[in-house]
Amino acid sequence: MAQKRENIEINYLTRDFDSIKNDLIEHARRYYPDSFRDFTDAGFGALMVDAVSYIGDILSFYLDYQANESFLLTATEYINILKHAQTVGYRHVGPRATFGPVALYIMVPSNDSNTGPDLSYVPTLKAGSSFMSGFNSSFTLLSDVDFSDPTNDIVVATTSAITGVPIRYAIKAYGQVVSGDLQVEEFPVGDFMKFRRLGISNPNVTEIISVIDTEGREYFEVDHLSQNTIYIPITNTDQTTSTQAPTIVKPFIVPRRYIVRKAGDSFATTTSIIFGYGSDSQLSSPSLVEARDVVLDLHSKTYVTDKAMDPTILIKGDKFGVGPSNTTLTVTYRVNTAFNSNAAANAISQVQVADLEFKNKNLLNNQTMSDVINSLEVNNEEPIQGNVTPPTANELRMLLMGTQAAQNRAVTAEDYKTLILTMPEKFGGVHRCSVVQDVDSNLRNVNVYVINQGLDRTLEPTNSILKENIKTWINTKRMINDSVDILDAKVVNLGIKFSAIIELGVNKTVVINRILERMRNYFFSNLDIGESFSITDMYSLINNTAGVIDATFVDVYQKTGTGYSSTVFNVKNYTTSDGRFVKAPKNVIFEIKYLDTDIEGTVR
């Protein structure tokens, strides 16, 4: 009978393969000296020890990995960082819609007196008309464009070769477009299910437009399922106040509601619609209510006790909304037709669908109307923007921390920055953002500097539509005594020249290509607005390249001329005395615009 052993010493600090193996061999020699003596590498015992050490090493790795991924600061997997985001209220954005103005042109016949265009042939271009850029990105008109508006530009287009009398007039008007096409997907829904989740098949969804079941009942999107009220505008019929307040905001109870959740990054994003688990028996409250009638649950009392009240919860219930069952849901959503839906200036030139509406159509000549319709042209005089490079894992981690601190309101500069960078995808987005207190203002004026990316990833000013979206979004979150100005950040294009000493016998071309490739990867993601340029990092990058002995010099200078920014900037004046950094003013962003030509170097 084997002797019972107590108080066996086990080293719990061994984590790697070799340490575990050595401890196992020592354990066998100490406690099994008679039955286990074969410690040669070719023996069966060595195989068993290696197998156990191998398993222990793997388990130790996964234990460390699991511990790291359990905390936001140490998590490395993108999907795990997003899971942490749900605990702090961050909503993953995914592909963004892009916005911008377009110029629209039509030609209409002259009136009978040849004094101007025949207004009966001047149409209205209806919202939903679509256009196409040269990169096969589709754009949709957001609102009607009335070509009869007196503020439109009107010029003579063609004249009679004999009399010089105008024959046709060209009218120029402006409209706003958003990227993407509307698509419809149907989901047959069977028996009731709690928190039903529907997955949209298209990965480029930017906005859910509507969700309607077979009976025509609409489901409304909310920020969270416990929110059962939205606010809708109702036309103000009071003539005495309609000029100042054209609409009246009313709370609207939405027992049928859903939330939208996205997962993945901007390269591969899945969109899901999630419903609650209530039933139709819950629908005993009216649709429109007065908040004062239901928020304060007074009963017979003439006072209110001290308790928390949420004015967004206007009906009682713990089912998080009514979930669909035994019906078919029709989901209409907007989807980008290209991976990058940004468009450079003058890129939108094709008319896809033109929905033109004429007044008194039955009284007009069909051929003349057809000529007017066929004359429609479109062009974007400034870039269409809003699609930005997805945040890296580290940038996403910083956004999550900012989201938790902001708590859906803007008080500090970091709050403003976080809210702008996490603006809902249907409003577009900016590539970089910086928030600075205006020291020249006596009031609480905040300057927000923004910059966007073009289709080729180079920096360009943010267009006016996107700035308006940012200001509208911030107005719902800012402090009441803050005033916000949205301004363009100044771009300073830099060039780099370097020299290095390499090891003997190493191919010079191979080494210099390694350095250039590492620098291109380093600058592929732009610096932030107000972020200094680190010359020290360039020395470290070169010295850590295989085959390099030492970097002898790195010269940073401004690139000017055709294709570069016109911002005046003296690099030498902003370089620190020790030559380690080039400081950036708070409204300046540095850019290596052309990675293939703006970085030059020699080795010897």
Side-chain angles (χ1 to χ4, degrees), residues 88-113:
V88 297
Y90 175 82
R91 290 184 60 185
H92 183 53
V93 174
R96 290 182 179 271
T98 58
F99 295 85
V102 292
L104 299 159
Y105 307 85
I106 61 166
M107 287 194 292
V108 298
S110 174
N111 57 26
D112 295 336
S113 58

Side-chain angles (χ1 to χ4, degrees), residues 261-275:
R261 290 293 178 263
K262 295 191 176 184
D265 55 26
S266 292
F267 299 109
T269 303
T270 59
T271 303
S272 300
I273 300 174
I274 305 172
F275 302 88

Side-chain angles (χ1 to χ4, degrees), residues 317-356:
D318 58 353
K319 304 301 183 183
F320 301 104
V322 175
S325 61
N326 301 315
T327 185
T328 298
L329 294 178
T330 302
V331 180
T332 304
Y333 55 87
R334 194 187 308 278
V335 57
N336 283 340
T337 58
F339 173 72
N340 190 337
S341 57
N342 290 337
N346 305 314
I348 302 177
S349 57
Q350 306 172 37
V351 178
Q352 272 188 307
V353 178
D355 184 7
L356 290 164

Side-chain angles (χ1 to χ4, degrees), residues 179-218:
S179 64
D181 284 336
L182 293 182
Q183 294 192 8
V184 178
E185 193 169 343
E186 292 188 347
F187 295 89
V189 175
D191 295 337
F192 177 79
M193 178 188 299
K194 291 185 177 181
F195 297 112
R196 184 181 298 277
R197 179 186 291 261
L198 302 179
I200 305 297
S201 59
N202 199 301
N204 294 319
V205 177
T206 60
E207 181 182 5
I208 302 294
I209 304 298
S210 66
V211 177
I212 302 175
D213 63 15
T214 307
E215 292 75 23
R217 296 174 298 197
E218 184 173 1

Side-chain angles (χ1 to χ4, degrees), residues 121 361-373:
Y121 284 97
K361 184 176 180 179
N362 295 333
L363 303 178
L364 303 180
N365 181 274
N366 290 333
Q367 182 59 48
T368 305
M369 284 193 298
S370 178
D371 292 340
V372 172
I373 294 173

Side-chain angles (χ1 to χ4, degrees), residues 501-551:
I501 300 174
I502 64 174
E503 300 172 357
L504 292 176
V506 178
N507 189 302
K508 293 183 178 180
T509 303
V510 172
V511 174
I512 198 169
N513 284 337
R514 287 175 186 165
I515 298 173
L516 291 174
E517 185 63 25
R518 294 192 70 191
M519 285 195 172
R520 293 189 191 106
N521 292 336
Y522 182 90
F523 292 110
F524 184 77
S525 179
N526 299 107
L527 301 175
D528 207 346
I529 301 172
E531 181 180 355
S532 298
F533 184 96
S534 176
I535 300 176
T536 303
D537 285 352
M538 297 300 97
Y539 276 101
S540 299
L541 186 148
I542 296 170
N543 288 330
N544 291 329
T545 302
V548 174
I549 296 177
D550 188 31

